Amino acid sequence: MLKKRIIVCLDVKDGRTTKGIKFKNNIDIGDPVDMAAEYYRQGVDELVFYDIMASASGRGPILDLISRVASKVFIPFCVGGGIGTVEDIRSTILAGAEKVSLNSQAVKNPELIKQGARIFGNQCIVLGMDAAKDETMPSGYRVYINGGRVATELDAREWAVRAVELGAGEIVLNSIDADGTRDGYEINLTKMISEAVNVPVIASGGGGTPEHLTKVLSQGKADAALIASMVHSGDYTISSIKEALEKDGIPVRKN
């Protein structure tokens, strides 16, 4: 049985790690370089780094910060935010990222997924998708861009399927409704997207306890769970989460 991955997300604003609830009321919680090094020490499987203001403010990735984080961790490291061209993808990978997450820019220019996958390989191209409940959409969920600020006309399931056809090798699926609430992942959304595509789906938004991870990795059929608040708060460590998952019969990578 494939082992499930635990991934820590660092949302970055103005060079600092930040955390909000449902994409609002963000507060500064620390230095992303120091935090990345600490989670690596704790045994996290992967790191995701999102510059949450890059697309909204029309700028590219912060390469200096990416390279400083990459120098501290020796695990897969994915970077998102403001990556709008093949050159942005190249410079982000050269700065030390193994993968890039395309979210708003992929919606605006879907060909970027295809070009990125052709040049760098599907395994380097991750679709970042922010979705919220909307009964008017075929799947019941609408895709949002620019850090959850702008609604699109895209249906979540249809966009996931199309992005994979274009070449995305993985999907980070973030529920805006659950984001930062620590009340549990959006199981229905995660299961629906996981069943619709043949690439790994990473559940994001709502992780508050190890039980929440167990549920989304089993019932939600996610390949990995992305966490933030539950470890940023100091309530849990990576090893305590992995121990709890093992007790629940979820196969995890040993530290």
Side-chain angles (χ1 to χ4, degrees):
M1 195 178 190
L2 276 178
K3 299 204 166 155
K4 303 289 190 176
R5 291 171 287 151
I6 308 302
I7 302 172
V8 167
C9 178
L10 301 173
D11 283 335
V12 175
K13 181 182 178 185
D14 303 326
R16 300 281 294 173
T17 308
T18 181
K19 197 71 200 96
I21 296 175
K22 299 188 181 182
F23 288 33
K24 296 187 177 100
N25 305 321
N26 283 68
I27 55 166
D28 182 312
I29 57 170
D31 176 68
V33 181
D34 293 343
M35 292 175 75
E38 172 56 22
Y39 293 130
Y40 174 65
R41 189 192 66 74
Q42 287 184 22
V44 74
D45 299 315
E46 295 187 21
L47 274 174
V48 173
F49 170 113
Y50 287 131
D51 185 334
I52 62 169
M53 294 304 293
S55 284
S57 52
R59 61 168 169 74
I62 313 173
L63 300 174
D64 168 60
L65 188 55
I66 293 165
S67 123
R68 283 164 54 216
V69 170
S71 72
K72 300 285 186 185
V73 301
F74 303 94
I75 49 175
F77 172 40
C78 178
V79 172
I83 299 172
T85 66
V86 167
E87 276 313 306
D88 286 339
I89 297 174
R90 182 176 284 111
S91 57
T92 302
I93 291 170
L94 288 173
E98 276 80 17
K99 308 177 192 179
V100 296
S101 177
L102 306 177
N103 188 324
S104 305
Q105 303 298 334
V107 169
K108 294 168 188 173
N109 174 23
E111 278 297 302
L112 184 60
I113 299 173
K114 188 188 275 187
Q115 291 169 342
R118 191 180 70 242
I119 297 167
F120 305 102
N122 305 66
Q123 78 287 348
C124 287
I125 306 300
V126 178
L127 176 73
M129 180 163 69
D130 298 322
K133 285 179 185 162
D134 186 332
E135 289 174 4
T136 66
M137 302 306 282
S139 70
Y141 295 88
R142 184 185 292 273
V143 175
Y144 285 73
I145 59 170
N146 289 5
R149 295 175 195 81
V150 178
T152 73
E153 291 308 309
L154 293 172
D155 175 75
R157 181 171 50 209
E158 287 171 11
W159 176 229
V161 169
R162 184 167 171 225
V164 170
E165 286 169 353
L166 287 166
E170 193 165 70
I171 296 174
V172 173
L173 173 63
N174 192 46
S175 162
I176 294 174
D177 301 303
D179 180 77
T181 62
R182 299 180 68 177
D183 291 335
Y185 295 89
E186 175 80 75
I187 302 297
N188 178 53
L189 172 66
T190 309
K191 182 169 184 268
M192 177 180 65
I193 300 298
S194 296
E195 289 178 341
V197 297
N198 60 354
V199 300
V201 172
I202 299 162
S204 170
T209 67
E211 290 75 24
H212 292 154
L213 276 79
T214 294
K215 196 171 175 187
V216 82
L217 292 168
S218 53
Q219 294 173 31
K221 300 191 175 179
D223 296 271
L226 191 132
I227 55 175
S229 306
M230 63 188 288
V231 284
H232 295 340
S233 63
D235 293 345
Y236 296 94
T237 62
I238 302 301
S239 54
S240 72
I241 294 167
K242 285 189 173 184
E243 279 168 25
L245 291 176
E246 268 204 309
K247 281 183 186 155
D248 287 341
I250 304 290
V252 293
R253 299 175 183 184
K254 290 291 201 308
N255 297 350

